[in-house]
Amino acid sequence: MAKITKEQIIETLKEMTLLEINDLVKSIETSFGVSAAAPVAAAGPAAGPAEAPTSVSVILTEAGAQKVAVIKAYREVTGLGLMEAKAAVEKTPATIKENIKPEEANELKKKFEDAGAKVKIE
């Protein structure tokens, strides 16, 4: 089997949708017994006072009764196609955006709650 270069992998990833990349990451995690999540440092007694997070993630927990409105909002925010957005909304919990400012997260939460969805910020 011919060896694939990093550049070939990167070019292939550029052509994939976010859902395809997500499935790839899950397959890699399963195959190699690893996790793509960033390691979290445990806070010891020397830790200072708790600070407000500088970046958060917005997660769709429930689509609600107005699923079409939620799919439209999800497409608008993520830039995904209709089928990818529909699949993500139907497979909750689904991450809407990661590593964003808390102010932006609150705006997104309001937008999705107005569409009838339930959202949490982590």
Side-chain angles (χ1 to χ4, degrees):
M1 184 157 131
K3 186 173 181 178
I4 299 174
T5 65
K6 287 187 278 187
E7 290 78 21
Q8 290 171 318
I9 294 171
I10 291 170
E11 287 303 315
T12 302
L13 288 173
K14 287 180 182 177
E15 296 173 8
M16 297 174 77
T17 65
L18 289 175
L19 286 176
E20 291 170 331
I21 292 172
N22 187 36
D23 288 340
L24 174 65
V25 169
K26 287 179 182 176
S27 297
I28 291 170
E29 288 175 339
T30 302
S31 296
F32 294 100
V34 296
S35 175
V40 178
E51 295 180 18
T54 57
S55 66
V56 295
S57 297
V58 181
I59 300 170
L60 177 68
T61 58
E62 189 178 314
Q66 299 176 347
K67 196 179 287 187
V68 173
V70 176
I71 292 170
K72 285 181 182 179
Y74 197 91
R75 284 186 68 199
E76 180 184 328
V77 170
T78 62
L80 292 176
L82 178 61
M83 295 307 292
E84 289 116 348
K86 182 177 183 282
V89 168
E90 290 177 346
K91 187 181 165 190
T92 55
T95 301
I96 299 169
K97 274 200 165 182
E98 295 179 307
N99 300 322
I100 59 174
K101 294 181 180 178
E103 298 81 22
E104 183 181 355
N106 289 328
E107 291 173 15
L108 289 177
K109 182 177 181 181
K110 182 177 179 351
K111 174 181 233 154
F112 278 88
E113 287 177 345
D114 289 347
K118 291 186 181 177
V119 178
K120 69 177 179 178
I121 298 174
E122 293 183 341

